[in-house]
Amino acid sequence: MDEADVKSVVKLEQVTKVYRQGAVDVHALRGLDLTVGKGEFVAICGPSGSGKTTALNLIGALDRTTSGEVWLEGNNLNRLNRQQLSRLRRDRIGFVFQAYNLIPVLTAFENAEAVLALQGGSAARRQERVMALLAEVGLKGMEHRRPHELSGGQQQRVAIVRAIAAEPAVVLADEPTANVDSETADNLLEIMGRLNQERGVTFIFSTHDSRVMDRARRLVRMVDGRVASDSKS
Amino acid sequence: MNIFKMAWRNVWRNTRRTTVTIAAMTLALMVEVLYSGLVLGYFQGLEDDLLDLEVGDVQIFAPDYLDTPSIYSAIQDPVPLLATLNDMGYPACPRLLGGALAAADESSAGVALRGVEVDLEKEVTLIDENVADGVWLDSADKRGVVIGRRLARTLAVEPGDEIVLLTQAADGSIAHDLFRIRGVLLGIADGTDRTAVYMNGEAFRELMEFPEGVHQVIVRRPQDVDLKSAAQAIGQVATGLDVKTWKELMPLVATMLESTRGMIVIIFLVVYIAIAILVLNAMLMAVFERIREFGILKAIGVGPFYVFGLILVEAGIQTLVALFSGLVLALPGMWYLSEVGIDVGSLGGMNVMGLAMRPVWNGIYTLDTVIVPIILLVVIVFCAVLYPALKAALIRPVQAMHHR
């Protein structure tokens, strides 16, 4: 890898992904090339089936490519085993999902703390950091509530804290505003924008939401599993 | 993330399913513990009765007696042998054996005569405590006999009645004499019940014209000496004689008793396999309805070992609760069965392979009767959760997160 590749947080080279659906092969990605640098705030948009979520899954080491290479901070994901991928997800990647995806038996604090707890470290430091982040996203006083006791927006804020608590290289947000009202969506985007600006966290969104696209400083449009356009604002 | 805290909360997410699973395990454990104690008590009772009342641990005969039983095949001078055995801590008593025809009024039956030394017999066997009606022999009452219960029924006699014993004496003459029934025995073993006539050794010698020697020496072993070692020790002092353990004398009964443990394990397994299916079903449901959650856990960096461990801990928590509740619930049953027992006397006496069953069937509860069912339950539950745990541990995150 050259120096430029190391500086890029994410790099996809000629990535294809083919799913088998019954007797039919579905080509989700057809030679995708994409590079995302540190501190970028990128929105990947495109119609349903264009391959947005598949791209995020591959970048997030949740799935493997059919062909092509995916690099994260210089690590070729194709060459890592199951355990190494788990460690990479834990330490270097944050996820924010459309359906919040909190663990129902854990409190807001425990959910937010989950990645830090997996990494180990002192409980006091974890508590300090998570409480500060929860306060930053407006969840002070709700630390002991279980997910079912929180609104959708509140759950998504917990998910954002979980994603950024361990200071990952990149946060992948798959349609993060799809299940919340406009006001909450604006609020969430405000929080993520602030984290990007102030902390330099790299965000990659997959979205249909124009509000997300408006706030993104780089817009990647995908069609049929390829990048159709890539513009920076 | 504390795996135990998370497992504990997961276990109680679906209270109804968890309760049913724990209840099934509890019931299985309780039944198995009570059952194993009852079976052990049953066979131990049979074995104890057999040894205490009939055969002792080891028997000594003249070399050719067992092949061709005859009044003439006798241990000629048993006194030094008996003294040596007693000095070694092996209580022993002699018996005289013979056959006769017993008659009372218009009934008659072939009988097995057993001449005993009344005082010595009490130190070796418990037959004197097993008289159902009347009393045991008295060394002062040479004409008194004690007979088996079915023989009493055949001859239609009871304590106080008289019987005539007719036989061929050792000198070839026809011997006969009148004896009075002192007692009728409880059920002991089929052969004893139908044919045994216990009599004073001196009376036997007079009737049979058999002044010296004995046919059989019954020996008990100290509790801390195993049967094989006891037989070897006895063999060393009973030189030139035939020394047999009770297992060699009654191989069928010995095999039956030996196989009891295997039988218990088989029945355990059958019950536990049913429990395993239930646990497997419950754990599969618990895993598949949370498959998305496992996907999330994996997405945030939880490794396959953690997921595998989480499911094992969840099963472990349920098993621990079941172990505790199963044992607590079994305790009153264990107390009742060991102290009070089940009255089977009202069934009119039962016997198994010729051995009479005690009128009260008691359970015997040892560490083994509790530990074996516990170990089996733990192993079966572990086997049952292995598949769902592996399934959850190995599923790919993206696959798990899109699971419906």
Side-chain angles (χ1 to χ4, degrees):
Chain A
M1 290 193 66
D2 58 29
E3 199 185 335
D5 289 334
V6 175
K7 280 180 185 167
S8 67
V9 177
V10 173
K11 185 172 182 184
L12 287 84
E13 275 183 346
Q14 282 300 301
V15 171
T16 66
K17 181 69 188 178
V18 182
Y19 293 110
R20 189 93 185 148
Q21 227 167 41
V24 182
D25 283 341
V26 177
H27 293 263
L29 296 178
R30 301 164 186 261
L32 176 65
D33 289 309
L34 180 69
T35 303
V36 178
K38 185 168 167 48
E40 282 201 88
F41 201 73
V42 185
I44 301 174
C45 60
S48 293
S50 59
K52 305 184 297 290
T53 299
T54 304
L56 282 198
N57 287 341
L58 294 175
I59 295 168
L62 297 176
D63 206 355
R64 289 190 185 270
T65 61
T66 304
S67 69
E69 310 284 345
V70 180
W71 305 82
L72 187 92
E73 288 190 311
N75 295 300
N76 185 338
L77 302 192
N78 288 354
R79 296 195 185 149
L80 301 182
N81 64 28
R82 208 185 279 260
Q83 197 67 37
Q84 288 168 324
L85 289 174
S86 288
R87 219 171 296 135
L88 187 82
R89 286 196 296 268
R90 184 190 70 189
D91 296 338
R92 305 309 299 150
I93 305 169
F95 290 96
V96 180
F97 300 100
Q98 179 181 342
Y100 326 132
N101 283 352
L102 299 180
I103 307 295
V105 293
L106 300 181
T107 63
F109 174 82
E110 289 165 338
N111 266 293
E113 190 206 21
V115 177
L116 284 176
L118 287 169
Q119 287 179 340
S122 90
R125 254 197 66 217
R126 292 202 309 257
Q127 169 141 10
E128 190 186 348
R129 178 162 175 75
V130 170
M131 292 302 272
L133 285 170
L134 285 173
E136 198 174 329
V137 300
L139 291 176
K140 194 171 181 183
M142 296 184 186
E143 301 86 3
H144 300 296
R145 292 195 190 173
R146 296 272 179 96
H148 70 271
E149 296 167 323
L150 297 170
S151 69
Q154 288 167 337
Q155 289 188 56
Q156 199 61 302
R157 277 185 266 171
V158 174
I160 291 169
V161 173
R162 180 177 68 186
I164 62 160
E167 297 181 351
V170 61
V171 173
L172 305 173
D174 187 9
E175 309 265 10
T177 54
N179 285 349
V180 292
D181 57 48
S182 313
E183 198 184 329
T184 308
D186 283 338
N187 187 254
L188 290 171
L189 288 169
E190 165 86 36
I191 290 166
M192 289 190 273
R194 202 170 64 235
L195 291 166
N196 171 252
Q197 296 270 335
E198 293 171 4
R199 296 174 183 267
V201 180
T202 307
F203 278 89
I204 304 176
F205 297 88
S206 120
T207 190
H208 283 110
D209 190 339
S210 58
R211 283 164 304 196
V212 179
M213 294 183 225
D214 290 345
R215 282 176 184 264
R217 288 197 298 282
R218 181 179 168 193
L219 192 60
V220 176
R221 188 173 301 279
M222 287 184 68
V223 177
D224 293 336
R226 291 189 193 94
V227 174
S229 67
D230 188 344
S231 58
K232 289 188 181 179
S233 58
Chain B
M1 277 189 296
N2 186 315
I3 197 168
F4 295 101
K5 193 202 272 186
M6 193 147 161
W8 177 260
R9 290 184 190 171
N10 278 331
V11 162
W12 299 108
R13 281 166 82 158
N14 191 330
T15 318
R16 189 181 302 172
R17 183 172 59 219
T18 299
T19 307
V20 169
T21 308
I22 290 175
M25 288 196 252
T26 299
L27 187 69
L29 181 70
M30 194 178 81
V31 168
E32 298 293 20
V33 166
L34 294 178
Y35 169 76
S36 63
L38 263 182
V39 173
L40 182 68
Y42 175 67
F43 285 100
Q44 192 65 54
L46 286 179
E47 183 177 331
D48 286 349
D49 284 354
L50 179 71
L51 303 194
D52 290 343
L53 306 178
E54 275 284 287
V55 292
D57 294 299
V58 174
Q59 294 186 2
I60 306 170
F61 300 91
D64 50 352
Y65 184 86
L66 285 173
D67 292 333
T68 49
S70 155
I71 195 166
Y72 306 110
S73 300
I75 301 166
Q76 288 307 321
D77 186 11
V79 177
L81 176 63
L82 291 170
T84 307
L85 288 171
N86 277 310
D87 289 346
M88 288 166 59
Y90 289 78
C93 65
R95 280 187 182 172
L96 296 150
L97 306 175
L101 183 73
D105 291 332
E106 292 176 1
S107 303
S108 63
V111 297
L113 301 180
R114 296 176 185 181
V116 300
E117 287 196 24
V118 178
D119 297 330
L120 207 48
E121 184 81 23
K122 284 180 184 173
E123 291 172 21
V124 179
T125 74
L126 299 177
I127 187 107
D128 58 299
E129 295 172 10
N130 223 42
V131 179
D133 197 7
V135 291
W136 178 241
L137 299 175
D138 187 331
S139 50
D141 179 11
K142 287 185 188 169
R143 296 285 164 216
V145 293
V146 173
I147 65 173
R149 62 175 184 169
R150 288 175 66 184
L151 177 61
R153 216 176 298 153
T154 305
L155 296 176
V157 292
E158 57 185 32
D161 290 345
E162 289 181 328
I163 59 170
V164 173
L165 293 178
L166 177 68
T167 183
Q168 183 176 9
D171 62 1
S173 64
I174 297 297
H176 57 87
D177 214 335
L178 195 62
F179 293 86
R180 192 172 52 81
I181 310 284
R182 282 179 62 86
V184 175
L185 294 168
L186 283 167
I188 293 173
D190 197 44
T192 304
D193 294 351
R194 281 190 294 106
T195 63
V197 174
Y198 285 88
M199 60 198 302
N200 200 304
E202 276 185 55
F204 182 97
R205 290 186 192 283
E206 282 176 18
L207 177 71
M208 302 298 282
E209 297 291 345
F210 187 76
E212 284 178 355
V214 297
H215 300 108
Q216 182 186 45
V217 173
I218 307 252
V219 190
R220 300 309 306 267
R221 67 188 152 104
Q223 277 191 340
D224 56 346
V225 179
D226 67 74
L227 189 62
K228 201 173 166 189
S229 307
Q232 280 172 350
I234 294 164
Q236 282 171 358
V237 296
T239 45
L241 298 174
D242 203 357
V243 176
K244 295 282 185 195
T245 65
W246 73 267
K247 288 184 180 180
E248 291 168 321
L249 292 165
M250 308 182 85
L252 207 58
V253 176
T255 307
M256 181 188 74
L257 295 175
E258 288 289 330
S259 63
T260 307
R261 196 170 293 275
M263 198 175 75
I264 294 173
V265 171
I266 288 168
I267 293 172
F268 275 5
L269 285 179
V270 170
V271 174
Y272 277 141
I273 283 168
I275 296 303
I277 292 167
L278 192 139
V279 173
L280 175 67
N281 185 43
M283 290 312 291
L284 275 176
M285 283 197 293
V287 165
F288 282 108
E289 77 180 15
R290 286 189 290 146
I291 211 87
R292 267 179 68 85
E293 260 175 66
F294 293 124
I296 300 162
L297 284 173
K298 290 187 154 196
I300 65 170
V302 168
F305 291 112
Y306 184 98
V307 174
F308 184 78
L310 180 69
I311 293 168
L312 285 195
V313 173
E314 287 175 20
I317 288 170
Q318 294 177 73
T319 309
L320 271 180
V321 175
L323 289 182
F324 177 76
S325 51
L327 290 178
V328 166
L329 288 174
L331 277 175
M334 287 160 74
W335 174 84
Y336 181 84
L337 292 172
S338 60
E339 295 298 319
V340 181
I342 299 169
D343 181 11
V344 290
S346 54
L347 299 173
M350 292 168 65
N351 72 65
V352 178
M353 300 190 76
L355 301 178
M357 197 172 159
R358 290 175 176 182
V360 177
W361 178 6
N362 287 101
I364 293 178
Y365 295 95
T366 63
L367 204 58
D368 267 3
T369 54
V370 178
I371 292 290
V372 173
I374 288 176
I375 291 172
L376 275 172
L377 181 66
V378 171
V379 170
I380 292 282
V381 170
F382 177 77
C383 293
V385 297
L386 214 49
Y387 170 68
L390 281 173
K391 177 96 183 158
L394 297 177
I395 195 166
R396 286 159 65 191
V398 72
Q399 209 181 335
M401 290 171 70
H402 292 112
H403 183 82
R404 299 206 185 279

